[in-house]
Amino acid sequence: MLHEKTPLYRHLDDETKARMLNLNREKELFDMILDGLAPHGYKMLELTKLVKGGRDRYDYMEIRHSGGSCIALGHGAGGNIENYFYHNSDSVPDISENVRICSRGRVLLPEYRVLDSLIYALQKGCAHLAPYSERLGVDLLSLFGEKLSRFSAAGYVHVDGDEITLTRDGVFFGNNIISELIGCITGS
């Protein structure tokens, strides 16, 4: 990823940036990483996390995305206490010198927790929609139908009943796929 406000971005010439932002090249690198690490016991924990042989159970993420609280430490970290969610930022003043978290956050509706849990399940590569449909009061399989058909035809997802599974190519486009599906719920 190239971030425009970084020294690296300003240092690179336009040709180098264009090569780095080439989607086909990104996919080649993605495949190379997966193919190179798989024989050594690495498995996907979520879209952006590969872990060797169960060395990380990711307990804190499981707790956070299943409704638990997670205290964020350090700049750039995000956390929550019940339904109060916050993000620590360099640009927001700390609460105090002793408590190094920002004072800016927001209380979110309980429905957000359901969406967060669904997003996390999809980021892990597979989700059963029925429990989320029940909690949200919406038939997600029907709501997602058109997009799931399109993603399935493109080879990005496999749909079996109410279970959605990302294919390997679907993992590469995972955050885009998830964003489109959640947009069906939120109307964005």
Side-chain angles (χ1 to χ4, degrees), residues 5 34 60 62 66 70 79 81 100 118 124 127 134 136 151 163 167 186:
K5 296 181 182 179
L34 289 185
Y60 78 98
E62 294 294 331
S66 64
C70 182
I81 302 168
R100 308 279 311 161
L118 173 58
K124 293 190 306 182
E134 184 177 323
L136 292 169
F151 296 147
E163 183 180 56
T167 64
T186 62

Side-chain angles (χ1 to χ4, degrees), residues 28-38 50 168:
E28 288 173 11
L29 293 171
F30 172 84
D31 288 336
M32 188 184 318
I33 290 168
L34 289 185
D35 292 340
L37 293 176
L50 296 173
R168 180 179 172 139

Side-chain angles (χ1 to χ4, degrees), residues 24-110:
N24 292 329
R25 179 69 176 143
E26 286 184 39
K27 180 66 167 79
E28 288 173 11
L29 293 171
F30 172 84
D31 288 336
M32 188 184 318
I33 290 168
L34 289 185
D35 292 340
L37 293 176
H40 301 284
Y42 285 84
K43 295 188 183 335
M44 185 184 88
L45 244 135
E46 67 168 290
L47 295 179
T48 60
K49 309 286 186 291
L50 296 173
V51 175
K52 185 175 183 174
R55 290 186 178 172
D56 184 349
R57 294 189 324 250
Y58 228 35
D59 290 341
Y60 78 98
M61 293 297 282
E62 294 294 331
I63 290 167
R64 184 191 178 287
H65 293 291
S66 64
S69 295
C70 182
I71 305 301
L73 302 175
H75 289 296
N80 68 291
I81 302 168
E82 299 294 327
N83 285 341
Y84 175 75
F85 286 74
Y86 65 95
H87 181 262
N88 296 331
S89 169
D90 288 328
S91 62
V92 177
D94 296 330
I95 291 174
S96 76
E97 290 299 316
N98 296 327
V99 182
R100 308 279 311 161
I101 60 174
C102 78
S103 58
R104 187 180 71 184
R106 64 187 74 159
V107 176
L108 299 174
L109 296 171

Side-chain angles (χ1 to χ4, degrees), residues 3-40:
H3 297 282
E4 291 182 18
K5 296 181 182 179
T6 63
L8 174 62
Y9 185 87
R10 289 188 298 272
H11 176 74
L12 298 173
D13 61 56
D14 289 340
E15 182 181 331
T16 302
K17 289 175 196 171
R19 277 196 321 268
M20 292 177 74
L21 294 172
N22 179 295
L23 187 62
N24 292 329
R25 179 69 176 143
E26 286 184 39
K27 180 66 167 79
E28 288 173 11
L29 293 171
F30 172 84
D31 288 336
M32 188 184 318
I33 290 168
L34 289 185
D35 292 340
L37 293 176
H40 301 284

